[in-house]
Amino acid sequence: MNINENWFSLEWFTWSKIQSLDWEQPLWFYALAIIPVLLLIRWLVLGKFRQRLPIALTQKDIKSDPISFLRFIPPMLFMLVMFMIVLALARPQSTNEQVEQWSEGIDIMLTIDISESMQIEDFKPNRLEAAKDVARNFVKGRFQDRIGLVVFSGDAFSRSPLTTDYELLNTYIDEIDFELIENGGTAIGSALAVSTNRLRESDSKSKVMILLSDGDNTAGNIDPITAAKLAQAYNIKIYTIAIGKEGKVPFGQDFFGRPRYVENTLDETNLREIAKIGSGKFYRVSDKQALEQVFAEIDRLEKAEIKETRYKDTTDFYPVYLRWALVLLLLWLATRSTFMVSALRD
């Protein structure tokens, strides 16, 4: 609404309009309670000191004249003037705030083991499905970061390049299964090399690799330590997560449908050394809750610096109420010069 063109509109006094405005000095509204008090004091003072003209009339000659009610118009106008001034002092305004956020972002490569042992059911429903679920939640919590996906067992290949299309990335995560790679084994070194190849051409100031595995390096044509040193040469930080419980763990069912248990061991040495070389951290998790906590910690540690610029456009509307106060003041002065002020009481 244009102030100069529509200040006389009665919409300024509707409850919906008053609610829609921002009032910078709302404490002035308490002054509204003083207005009727002032009018009451005025009425009492005038009532006490007003000159009275005694006239003797019989009861049948006393009649009410509607014109006598006109004497209330000037004080009502004056009350409205004060009301408008209070509204103006409360500084009604409309604020339109725009926020610009931008971030340099972080490049993150999720490197997930899909070897046969990831079918073990010490995580529900199994290790891989638990890892996929946590990975989806991790992706959901990122902002403007490019995230890629590498899977590995006996071989390693890139499932998704670095992308900010999180919906597409989650689709790739959903489609991860044990049939993606035929060769058995756990090629940790190859997985590190493929992930490094995806990250090495990145211009991001922060490049991160999250390696999740439940086994030792048993396949591939590159040693994990050598691959970790190669990643470190490209300033890639590596977090390693060893997933799985030690000892007997459920793995499928026997002929009678009963849970089958296998002995599970994991040498953490390689994963610890990889994290150390990559200036990251090593984690060992034995249940899904611990895995979620690890990803939550990595999420906190690897946050991009989000810079924010705010633009605040404020339009003041107090001139509208001051104009109304001026108009009503002129009307009050005009009525003060008429017979209304001296109209006799009944």
Side-chain angles (χ1 to χ4, degrees):
M1 180 180 288
N2 188 295
I3 297 177
N4 294 325
E5 295 179 2
N6 299 288
W7 67 268
F8 51 83
S9 172
L10 294 178
E11 183 185 349
W12 294 102
F13 305 103
T14 62
W15 181 243
S16 59
K17 183 64 177 178
I18 290 175
Q19 281 186 313
S20 69
L21 295 175
D22 297 320
W23 301 87
E24 188 178 352
Q25 303 291 337
L27 290 178
W28 277 102
F29 286 126
Y30 289 108
L32 293 177
I34 301 175
I35 296 175
V37 174
L38 292 175
L39 290 176
L40 178 61
I41 293 173
R42 177 182 178 276
W43 177 76
L44 292 174
V45 171
L46 291 179
K48 183 175 182 180
F49 297 102
R50 181 189 297 271
Q51 291 184 345
R52 290 176 172 81
L53 179 63
I55 300 175
L57 295 173
T58 60
Q59 187 68 31
K60 65 178 182 178
D61 292 328
I62 298 176
K63 295 180 181 179
S64 176
D65 192 340
I67 294 178
S68 65
F69 290 102
L70 294 178
R71 71 180 184 275
F72 295 114
I73 292 179
M76 290 298 295
L77 289 173
F78 187 72
M79 182 178 70
L80 289 174
V81 169
M82 290 190 291
F83 180 74
M84 296 301 161
I85 292 174
V86 169
L87 290 182
L89 290 171
R91 288 295 296 273
Q93 55 188 217
S94 176
T95 301
N96 181 24
E97 187 175 49
Q98 295 180 345
V99 179
E100 259 185 26
Q101 286 186 336
W102 61 278
S103 167
E104 293 181 355
I106 296 174
D107 284 350
I108 302 172
M109 188 61 65
L110 297 175
T111 308
I112 299 177
D113 188 348
I114 61 169
S115 59
E116 183 183 12
S117 58
M118 289 291 284
Q119 299 181 50
I120 292 177
E121 298 168 358
D122 49 353
F123 287 65
K124 296 299 180 183
N126 58 46
R127 292 175 178 177
L128 180 59
E129 290 302 319
K132 286 166 60 176
D133 188 39
V134 174
R136 278 190 293 265
N137 289 332
F138 176 78
V139 170
K140 190 186 302 182
R142 305 307 293 181
F143 174 75
Q144 291 187 353
D145 297 325
R146 296 196 307 167
I147 304 177
L149 179 64
V150 167
V151 294
F152 67 96
S153 56
D155 293 316
F157 76 91
S158 176
R159 184 71 178 150
S160 170
L162 293 167
T163 180
T164 55
D165 188 344
Y166 299 154
E167 185 175 347
L168 177 63
L169 182 62
N170 276 324
T171 300
Y172 285 131
I173 293 174
D174 290 339
E175 294 174 352
I176 294 176
D177 61 42
F178 301 101
E179 308 300 324
L180 290 176
I181 300 175
E182 292 183 3
N183 294 338
T186 306
I188 295 177
S190 297
L192 290 170
V194 172
S195 297
T196 299
N197 190 50
R198 280 295 189 185
L199 287 167
R200 67 187 176 90
E201 296 180 355
S202 167
D203 294 326
S204 174
K205 291 182 179 179
S206 184
K207 293 177 280 189
V208 175
M209 188 190 307
I210 302 174
L211 172 67
L212 188 148
S213 178
D214 70 344
D216 304 323
N217 187 68
T218 59
N221 52 13
I222 183 171
D223 177 67
I225 303 303
T226 303
K229 291 179 179 178
L230 180 63
Q232 192 272 337
Y234 287 104
N235 296 316
I236 298 171
K237 183 186 289 187
I238 306 175
Y239 292 94
T240 58
I241 304 172
I243 182 172
K245 295 178 180 178
E246 293 279 3
K248 289 187 177 182
V249 291
F251 186 21
Q253 296 178 337
D254 60 17
F255 178 78
F256 299 102
R258 295 173 302 187
R260 181 164 57 93
Y261 288 86
V262 296
E263 192 72 25
N264 182 71
T265 59
L266 173 59
D267 185 1
E268 302 174 356
T269 306
N270 270 343
L271 293 179
R272 286 184 179 276
E273 186 63 21
I274 291 169
K276 183 179 179 181
I277 294 170
S279 302
K281 292 184 68 175
F282 166 80
Y283 300 93
R284 180 68 192 266
V285 296
S286 57
D287 55 49
K288 186 178 178 182
Q289 183 179 0
L291 183 60
E292 290 172 344
Q293 291 172 352
V294 167
F295 269 86
E297 180 176 334
I298 296 174
D299 183 54
R300 289 193 300 270
L301 293 173
E302 299 299 333
K303 281 292 188 185
E305 181 183 359
I306 299 173
K307 299 185 178 180
E308 184 176 273
T309 305
R310 292 180 177 269
Y311 303 92
K312 198 169 185 179
D313 182 22
T314 301
T315 303
D316 278 305
F317 295 118
Y318 68 86
V320 172
Y321 298 102
L322 284 181
R323 290 176 184 178
W324 274 100
L326 180 60
V327 170
L328 292 169
L329 180 63
L330 292 175
L331 286 174
W332 176 72
L333 291 174
T335 57
R336 291 277 298 176
S337 305
T338 66
F339 71 94
M340 292 182 186
V341 174
S342 58
L344 293 176
R345 298 171 181 262
D346 292 340

